[in-house]
Each structure stands twice: as structure tokens, then as C-alpha cells.
Amino acid sequence: MQQYSDLEKAALEVFVTSAEDPIYACRADLPPEVFGAFGSFFSRNPKDLRGHLFDAIHGRIKGHKIDDESAAQENLMKLAGGEFLSPAEALRSGVSKSQAFFREWYGKYSHKSIANTVWIPFVGTQVSQLFARQLAFDQLAFFIEQSTRYVKFDVENLHMDAAIMKSSHRDLYIGTLQEAADAYQRFTDLAADHHAKEWPFDRWLRSKEGQDDPIAKAEDKSQRRAYRRELKAMAFDVARLLLPQAVKTNIAWILDARSTEWDIAAWKGHPLTEIRRSAELIEKAGGAIAPSLLKYTEENPYYGEQYRNFDGALFADLPAECMKKGVDVISYDPDALDKSLAMLLSRNNRSADVSRLLGFVKDKLNFDDKIEILRTVTKKRGRHDEWVDVEEAFDCMSVTVQFRSDIGAMRDLRRHQKWDRNEGIYTLDNGFYLPDVIREMGAEAVSTYEEVMGRTFDAEQIIRKDFPHAAQYLVPMAAMHSITMRAGLDQFQYFVATRTTPQGHFSYREDAYNLATAVCKAHPWLLGLKEFPEGKGIDEVYENAPLKGILRPYIGETGLHT
């Protein structure tokens, strides 16, 4: 490992966390493009990235050398002394014709593999729910989105689709959105009043004591502040069902340059003006961070045609049919127990043909032996051990399911980025979700809710004749929707553990319990059972399950939200 003087270490540690440790992180002052360029050397050059940084500061990059050693020394001193307003300037001044340098090395050492290492942080403000859904299809886009629980959405500033606003549907579009906006405002207040009556402070506090929540031991002032906050959150959970897809949100995400480049090219052919415009803005913003990497961003007509649904060529003329909440297993492997054990044995033994291990499991182990292996694997699993297997052994067997639920719940389910997913165009053809809590709020609340849904559906049917994709902006979060998702069994158990917690939204909690029931009926061995008991719910079955180390749903009273 190269040795550096104290001055050189201080200069390097402006860009990295350590000039000496074998593992280190790169600081924000190291431009992503520089990280990618120097990282590209690894495939052909054994030198540490810090060595390349040092060469850049000194102007010693091959083919881009600077003869002025005094300038290099000045760079070191300024960096070490914190005199550069932007430390990245030291690298730029140390590498002449920097963009030519980047293009040369990216081209030489594979554009795509280098682009994978350059991650770009983006922020989208005042974007619609349809933008957020489109972004979430990119499984490498890790995002944080404005919460419908903790933020009262601005329903006075909804997305006005440019094409619709120029059409004869303009007034119908605006009027329909305005009615939904007014209902959202009213339901926020109605739901807050309802929950205050259903959950008076004393009952709420007792529920916290039952959950061993720290707030139960806090001072009265803090408890009442938390109580009001939770009432407000619960009200938003109900009211969000009325929010249309035109409601705007803020979202921050990071994405590698390769995926960003792909999205830009594909989105440029999207039928929604908002998505096409977003592609241009992402290209502009990303180009300011990694200009030499976003190279192949021309519109991709192949993917554009798919976004346009082949202009109706694959349309299936099915009559509308109302959906009910539920989960259906589309496909699974009946031999998943044996194959999962073979995978676990494979990872915990010297390398062997997996088919031999599978034969061993089938021929040498009875059901009790197999469950005992799973107990051995999970017996020390603690509360914060999210995964069954430390690597990927338990994810090699997958299950494909269909969720039938409201779009609002789907908004939360799509956060599980490692699940593959497929879904159609948003519509009210499938009916809408009417939760028990709205029925409990009284006949007037139910009537208002149903009227908004009915008039929105009428408007959607009219507008979609001319604008089949833009009509989605009208569709409320309450609309029932189908989404097909696939993941490994470790992802499945994590989903159930995450989405059944007391803090979860009542809608997706129901979806998570439905998922647990459906998958455990296909794979009862996940609970140590040969068969799932007929006519029993997941809560009762889990309570008496012989194996609880794999699946860990929350069973108990929910109370309000934290």
C-alpha cells in the first residue's frame, strides 16, 4: 500500500474517510464521475483509487500530465488547509481536459459497468403520483416519498395534464379533481373527530402500555402531544383514499447512471407529457453530475411503444367486474421445502452438485427432520435479524402472487424494491375500497364517499376515450387494483413482518395478513405444518404453529399509529 506524508494524508482525506485503512468510504466532495473514472482502472490496474486521486491532484494521470510541480504542491496545501471553496476543483485542476479523460477511460473500460458504480442523487418536487409509480418500477431507484400519513396534501395544486387542458374535457377534468379535493378536506376533519370518540385518551394510553411503548412512561404533556399526532395520522390514513393520482408529491431518490440513462431513453417515448418532460429534466440534472456517462439517451421507440400499450393492439375486451380485497397465489414450487433445504445445505457445506443435496434431502430426511433443520437455522434469530439466511439461500425459491387491493395500499407495497411486479392502467372499473372505518363514520360519510367515486368513474370513462393514460390522473387512491408480484421466500417473510406491524396502514396490514395466509396455505411447512388447518385464520394458526422462526407476523391489538 502506498505511503503518504501527513500533508498528503490530510489532502486525500478531504475526499476519502481514511488515507490508510484498507476499507474506506468516499466523501461527498469526491464527484461521482471522478469516482467512476478511477474505479474503472480496477479492471486493468492494481493501484488503489486513492493513488489515482493523488495522481490527479499532482497532475500525473497518464496522457493528461501537468509539468508544474509547484501547482500540485499548492493543491495539496490548499486541500489540507481547507482553502478550496470546492475541494473537487483540486481534481479538476490536476487533470487537464477532464471530460476528454473521462470519455477515454469510460469508453476503454466498458461504459455500462462503470456507469453502474456512479450513483446520482435526485429530487423531484411537485410531481404527480403517476411519476412516483413510474420511478418505482426501476428496482435500483431507492427513494423517499412524501408521506400521506404525516403530511396534509395540497389539494389546491393538482397536476393539470397539458393535453387534457387543451381539449374539450378541460372543465370536466378540473371539476372532478376539485370535488375529490373538497372531499379529502372534509374527510380529514370527519375522520379525526371519529377517532377521537373511538379512542379517547385513556383508552389510547392503555393500548400503549399493552404494547410496552415508551410513550406510556413519558410525562403527560408528551403523551397528549403524541396522542394528537396519532389522531391526525389516522385521519390522513382514511382521507388519503380520496386523493387522486393528480395530487402532487415530493420524492428524493438515488440511482446509478446506467439505469438513469435507460430510464431517460425509455421515458422519452411515454404517453404522458409529465413523464416525457421529466425525462428531459433528469437528463439535464444528471448530465450536470455525470456528463460523460449519460451518453445513450435518445428516445427508445421500442420501449415507448410498450408504454403506449402498443396503441391498443393487445386490448382485451373484458367486462368490468368489481374486485374484493385478497391475495391469490399465481405460481409456487410444491417442492420448495426440499429445494430450500438443499440450498441451505449447499451454502453450509463444501461445494457439491445441488441435485445430490436435493436427493439427500428427499431420500434421507423425513418431514420432522426437515423442520428440525429449519429450527436449527432460526433458533437464535433475534428481533432485529431481518433475514432468515445471511446470504441468498432462502431466497432461491420464489412465489408469485396477485394482490387485489386499493391503489393507496399499492403505493406502499411498491417500496419492496426486490419484488418483481406487473400491473395495468389505473381505473375505477374494478370498483373501490370502502373500509369499515368509513361505514363507522356514518351514513352521510358513506354517501359522500360513494358519490365522489361514482362521479369520478363517470368522468374517467369519458376522458379515457381520448386520453387513455392521462385519465389515470383522476383515479383515486381508493380504486381497486390488481398487481402481480414475485419474490423469494426470505423477501416474503420480511414483507409480512414489516407490513403487519401496529404502526402500519390498516389497508396494507390486511393485505399482508392475506399474503401470509395465501402463501402458508401453499407452503404450510413455513409454520412447521404438513397442512394448513381448514377454516382457520392466520392469527389462530400462527399462535399454535410448531415453527415460528421463519414467519413472524404481528398478532395483536393495533391501537392508533405512531
Side-chain angles (χ1 to χ4, degrees):
M1 185 179 295
Q2 188 171 346
Q3 300 298 310
Y4 300 104
S5 68
D6 290 343
L7 176 65
E8 291 166 344
K9 288 178 185 177
L12 281 172
E13 288 177 358
V14 171
F15 301 106
V16 296
T17 55
S18 173
E20 298 177 315
D21 293 345
I23 296 177
Y24 55 94
C26 297
R27 299 185 188 277
D29 285 317
L30 180 64
E33 198 172 38
V34 174
F35 172 80
F38 292 160
S40 71
F41 288 177
F42 288 169
S43 64
R44 301 291 189 279
N45 189 316
K47 183 183 285 190
D48 181 10
L49 184 143
R50 289 172 294 201
H52 296 304
L53 282 174
F54 186 73
D55 288 345
I57 294 168
H58 274 271
R60 296 175 183 168
I61 298 294
K62 184 178 179 181
H64 300 274
K65 292 183 178 179
I66 296 175
D67 295 328
D68 189 352
E69 183 63 29
S70 63
Q73 191 66 19
E74 184 180 356
N75 276 347
L76 283 175
M77 295 179 69
K78 284 185 175 181
L79 281 169
E83 294 181 34
F84 271 108
L85 290 178
S86 171
E89 289 302 314
L91 297 180
R92 294 194 180 97
S93 63
V95 180
S96 63
K97 302 179 182 177
S98 61
Q99 289 308 310
F101 163 76
F102 291 139
R103 282 192 291 270
E104 174 187 344
W105 289 104
Y106 286 137
K108 186 175 291 187
Y109 292 155
S110 174
H111 166 77
K112 291 183 177 180
S113 60
I114 305 311
N116 282 340
T117 69
V118 177
W119 287 72
I120 306 173
F122 292 97
V123 177
T125 58
Q126 299 296 287
V127 295
S128 79
Q129 299 298 312
L130 296 184
F131 171 91
R133 180 183 67 162
Q134 190 61 56
L135 177 66
F137 272 110
D138 196 318
Q139 290 177 302
L140 292 177
F142 299 99
F143 58 88
I144 302 172
E145 188 176 355
Q146 184 173 310
S147 171
T148 58
R149 169 173 293 170
Y150 301 114
V151 178
K152 187 173 184 179
F153 275 66
D154 181 7
V155 289
E156 301 300 322
N157 181 27
L158 300 172
H159 180 81
M160 297 294 148
D161 179 75
I164 293 178
M165 296 303 286
K166 295 176 183 177
S167 75
S168 60
H169 301 305
R170 180 181 186 277
D171 291 344
L172 176 61
Y173 180 81
I174 294 174
T176 303
L177 289 178
Q178 187 59 55
E179 183 176 10
D182 293 343
Y184 171 76
Q185 302 274 30
R186 291 200 304 276
F187 265 73
T188 299
D189 296 333
L190 286 172
D193 292 342
H194 169 75
H195 286 296
K197 294 174 183 176
E198 289 291 308
W199 283 89
F201 177 76
D202 290 342
R203 182 188 174 194
W204 171 84
L205 189 57
R206 287 195 301 272
S207 76
K208 294 301 178 185
E209 292 168 350
Q211 296 171 16
D212 293 325
D213 193 311
I215 195 66
K217 298 179 180 179
E219 60 181 19
D220 181 75
K221 184 178 180 180
S222 297
Q223 290 176 342
R224 292 188 181 276
R225 186 165 54 245
Y227 173 66
R228 289 192 297 270
R229 183 173 63 247
E230 292 190 25
L231 282 179
K232 187 176 181 181
M234 193 62 172
F236 286 155
D237 276 356
V238 176
R240 87 166 184 182
L241 292 165
L242 289 148
L243 288 173
Q245 302 311 301
V247 74
K248 293 180 180 179
T249 186
N250 297 321
I251 188 166
W253 74 97
I254 60 169
L255 185 62
D256 66 285
R258 179 179 180 179
S259 298
T260 299
E261 182 182 69
W262 191 96
D263 285 347
I264 291 168
W267 289 14
K268 283 182 176 179
H270 201 282
L272 292 177
T273 303
E274 179 191 16
I275 304 300
R276 295 196 302 273
R277 175 58 177 154
S278 296
E280 295 171 358
L281 292 173
I282 291 170
E283 182 176 23
K284 177 183 177 182
I289 301 296
S292 60
L293 276 179
L294 301 184
K295 296 167 63 175
Y296 307 112
T297 56
E298 300 84 4
E299 179 182 337
N300 186 313
Y302 176 71
Y303 294 121
E305 184 182 34
Q306 294 187 33
Y307 279 140
R308 295 192 306 275
N309 302 125
F310 299 97
D311 299 317
L314 300 186
F315 178 69
D317 190 12
L318 298 176
E321 185 175 282
C322 288
M323 283 183 187
K324 292 183 179 180
K325 254 184 178 290
V327 172
D328 310 297
V329 175
I330 303 300
S331 67
Y332 71 100
D333 191 333
D335 291 329
L337 171 57
D338 291 346
K339 291 178 180 177
S340 293
L341 290 175
M343 295 299 167
L344 288 167
L345 291 176
S346 175
R347 199 183 61 71
N348 288 281
N349 284 276
R350 288 186 295 276
S351 178
D353 187 329
V354 172
S355 62
R356 293 180 60 203
L357 292 170
L358 182 58
F360 170 81
V361 172
K362 288 179 176 292
D363 298 339
K364 302 294 184 181
L365 304 178
N366 61 34
F367 182 78
D368 290 339
D369 295 332
K370 296 171 185 178
I371 298 304
E372 190 57 36
I373 289 177
L374 294 176
R375 285 199 186 93
T376 299
V377 170
T378 60
K379 66 181 178 182
K380 294 183 179 179
R381 190 180 178 201
R383 178 182 176 186
H384 300 293
D385 298 325
E386 295 179 339
W387 308 106
V388 170
D389 186 69
V390 69
E391 292 181 351
E392 301 287 333
F394 203 65
D395 248 349
C396 288
M397 294 297 104
S398 65
V399 61
T400 302
V401 299
Q402 172 190 226
F403 288 92
R404 290 174 280 112
S405 190
D406 57 285
I407 290 173
M410 304 297 185
R411 182 179 184 270
D412 294 298
L413 302 190
R414 71 188 181 208
R415 298 177 190 278
H416 293 264
Q417 295 291 84
K418 291 193 75 172
W419 286 63
D420 298 322
R421 82 178 202 264
N422 183 56
E423 58 183 307
I425 296 172
Y426 286 164
T427 179
L428 273 163
D429 281 354
N430 303 314
F432 55 88
Y433 176 45
L434 179 59
D436 290 341
V437 64
I438 292 181
R439 298 183 193 278
E440 293 165 2
M441 287 164 59
E444 184 178 349
V446 172
S447 176
T448 299
Y449 186 80
E450 290 179 337
E451 286 174 8
V452 171
M453 297 299 154
R455 281 197 279 270
T456 301
F457 185 34
D458 291 342
E460 180 212 334
Q461 288 179 300
I462 293 170
I463 293 175
R464 74 188 188 191
K465 292 176 182 177
D466 296 320
F467 302 100
H469 293 90
Q472 293 177 100
Y473 285 114
L474 296 177
V475 179
M477 295 288 191
M480 290 295 289
H481 186 56
S482 165
I483 186 170
T484 302
M485 300 178 71
R486 180 187 66 185
L489 293 178
D490 224 353
Q491 286 292 326
F492 154 71
Q493 66 79 25
Y494 175 76
F495 183 109
V496 171
T498 303
R499 296 300 171 185
T500 58
T501 58
Q503 297 84 3
H505 190 283
F506 57 82
S507 180
Y508 72 61
R509 287 191 82 229
E510 183 179 348
D511 296 331
Y513 287 121
N514 287 337
L515 174 67
T517 302
V519 174
C520 285
K521 284 182 177 180
H523 293 313
W525 57 268
L526 290 166
L527 299 175
L529 300 169
K530 288 185 177 181
E531 294 182 353
F532 193 92
E534 194 70 34
K536 292 187 177 182
I538 188 66
D539 51 349
E540 184 180 357
V541 174
Y542 183 75
E543 194 70 32
N544 300 299
L547 178 64
K548 295 184 179 180
I550 294 176
L551 195 66
R552 302 192 296 191
Y554 178 88
I555 305 294
E557 184 180 7
T558 64
L560 291 181
H561 301 294
T562 56

